[in-house]
Each structure stands twice: as structure tokens, then as C-alpha cells.
Amino acid sequence: MASTSAEIIAFLLTISGWVLVSSTLPTDYWKVSTIDGTVITTATFWANLWKTCVTDSTGVSNCKDFPSMLALDGYIQACRGLMISAVCLGFFGAVFGLVGMKCTKVGGSDQTKAKIACLAGLIFILSGLCSMTSCSLYANRITSEFFDPTFVAQKYELGAALFIGWAGASLCIIGGSIFCFSIADSSNSPRRGYAYNGATSVMSSRTKVHNSVPDKTPPKHFDKNAYV
């Protein structure tokens, strides 16, 4: 019962983390920068993995898509690949996790389901590591440019998408680790042994029934001439 509850908690954590990671991919604010006037913010610059935009004080946004994937910086290409890999791995991890849970009716025996659940945990951990690496790589580029005194271009700060990605990756790793422990709980569970007494034959059962019935035949009395 405790293992089943742990698997349900792990499944909820991993699915929540996968949803957060998936929502991070199209989120706008991976990095953001503002230009402040005397009273109001005159412009807000922001960018993600697909485009860079500027929003003026009236709320009108002008965006420019990245012209070519081959002309992009290497870190953006790496972040794209890692995030797409994290989303795909999370999908397959959810399928395996649903099959490997003890509360479902598919997957075979408990030992087989425990192995499938462990595989789902490993996939979710790999998905979380991909998302964590992508967000950390992007954040490292932002912070290195921000604190570089020789960098004269527009400097940005960390956007909300990075924090969402880190949170989703953490949930995937924690839930995947709980899934991996389910195979240890299954191997330590006691097995019930059944004693086999053998099949009782029909003749032996009849013999037992015949012997259990008392003999009601009246005893025979013999006289003395019967022994001569």
C-alpha cells in the first residue's frame, strides 16, 4: 500500500514537472531588459529561443524571428535541442510510468511492472537533467554578458521562463527518483508460499470414506463343531 501511494505521488510530481517543462519552451520571457524613463518604462526588450522582441510603453510589441537556425549562436541551438529532448522524454516517461504503476491493470506481474516503473523513473530523470542543463546554459550566458565590463551590447536579466524550467526539472528528477525506488520495494516484498499436498486419488478418497463408516454387520456366532 505504501509503495502504491509513493508511485501515485511520483506520477503526479513527474507529470507536473513535465507540464512545466513543456510550457517553458514557448514562453516569451527567457531574458528581459527594460529602458526606464523619468516616470514610466519606455521600452521592454525580451527574447526566447525563437525570437527577440521589444514592447513600448503603449503595449505594442515588435518581434523579429531568428533568421536561420544555422546562423544562430551555439548555445541557443543547444538549448533548443535539450528542451525538445526533455519534452519528448517526458512524454515517453509518462506512458511507461502509467503502465508500470501497481494501481493499473496493464503491464504484467508485479516484478515486470516494477521494472517498467524504474525505466520510467530513469527517463524522467534524464528529462529533468536535459531541462536543467538547457536553462542553466542559457542563464550562464545571460549572467556572463551582464557582468562582463567589455560587453557593450544590450544586457539582459533572467526571465521567468528559466525559473519555471528549473522548477519543472526539479519535479521530474524528484518524481523519477521515487519511481526508481519502487523496484527495490518490490524486490523486498515477502513472497507467499503455498504447500502442495498432492492430488488425492478417487480410490483413496473412497477408501477413506469406506473406512470411516462403521461396520453394522452382526457378528457371526460359531458353535464348537465349526472348528472341528
Side-chain angles (χ1 to χ4, degrees):
M1 185 64 183
S3 178
T4 304
S5 302
E7 287 181 350
I8 294 174
I9 294 174
F11 186 75
L12 294 176
L13 289 175
T14 51
I15 291 299
S16 301
W18 177 59
V19 170
L20 290 177
V21 171
S22 301
S23 64
T24 302
L25 192 58
T27 303
D28 293 332
Y29 296 98
W30 278 65
K31 60 180 181 180
V32 61
S33 178
T34 58
I35 298 177
D36 298 329
T38 56
V39 179
I40 60 175
T41 301
T42 58
T44 301
F45 296 88
W46 51 272
N48 56 14
L49 299 178
W50 315 102
K51 59 186 176 181
T52 178
C53 302
V54 57
T55 304
D56 57 16
S57 59
T58 60
V60 178
S61 299
N62 295 318
C63 297
K64 178 183 178 182
D65 295 332
F66 294 134
S68 174
M69 185 181 67
L70 300 178
L72 288 176
D73 294 333
Y75 79 98
I76 296 181
Q77 295 183 13
C79 291
R80 282 184 179 182
L82 289 171
M83 291 302 297
I84 293 174
S85 300
V87 173
C88 295
L89 289 172
F91 172 77
F92 289 108
V95 174
F96 285 116
L98 189 62
V99 173
M101 295 176 66
K102 294 181 179 179
C103 58
T104 57
K105 301 298 183 180
V106 293
S109 62
D110 291 341
Q111 296 292 332
T112 304
K113 292 172 74 68
K115 294 179 182 179
I116 297 175
C118 182
L119 177 61
L122 294 176
I123 293 175
F124 272 119
I125 291 174
L126 185 59
S127 174
L129 291 176
C130 288
S131 177
M132 186 77 70
T133 304
S134 176
C135 294
S136 300
L137 181 62
Y138 200 91
N140 179 68
R141 183 59 179 263
I142 295 173
T143 54
S144 61
E145 291 178 353
F146 187 85
F147 293 106
D148 187 5
T150 62
F151 186 76
V152 295
Q154 182 71 32
K155 294 184 177 182
Y156 291 88
E157 296 181 1
L158 303 180
L162 297 177
F163 298 98
I164 297 175
W166 282 324
S170 300
L171 291 178
C172 287
I173 293 174
I174 294 173
S177 301
I178 298 176
F179 265 129
C180 290
F181 287 126
S182 64
I183 190 172
D185 295 338
S186 178
S187 61
N188 293 331
S189 60
R191 298 181 180 179
R192 295 181 180 179
Y194 297 93
Y196 179 71
N197 296 325
T200 304
S201 62
V202 178
M203 295 301 295
S204 61
S205 62
R206 290 180 178 177
T207 304
K208 292 180 180 179
V209 172
H210 179 71
N211 294 333
S212 62
V213 176
D215 189 6
K216 297 182 180 180
T217 304
K220 295 180 180 180
H221 300 281
F222 300 97
D223 54 3
K224 296 180 178 180
N225 297 327
Y227 298 96
V228 178

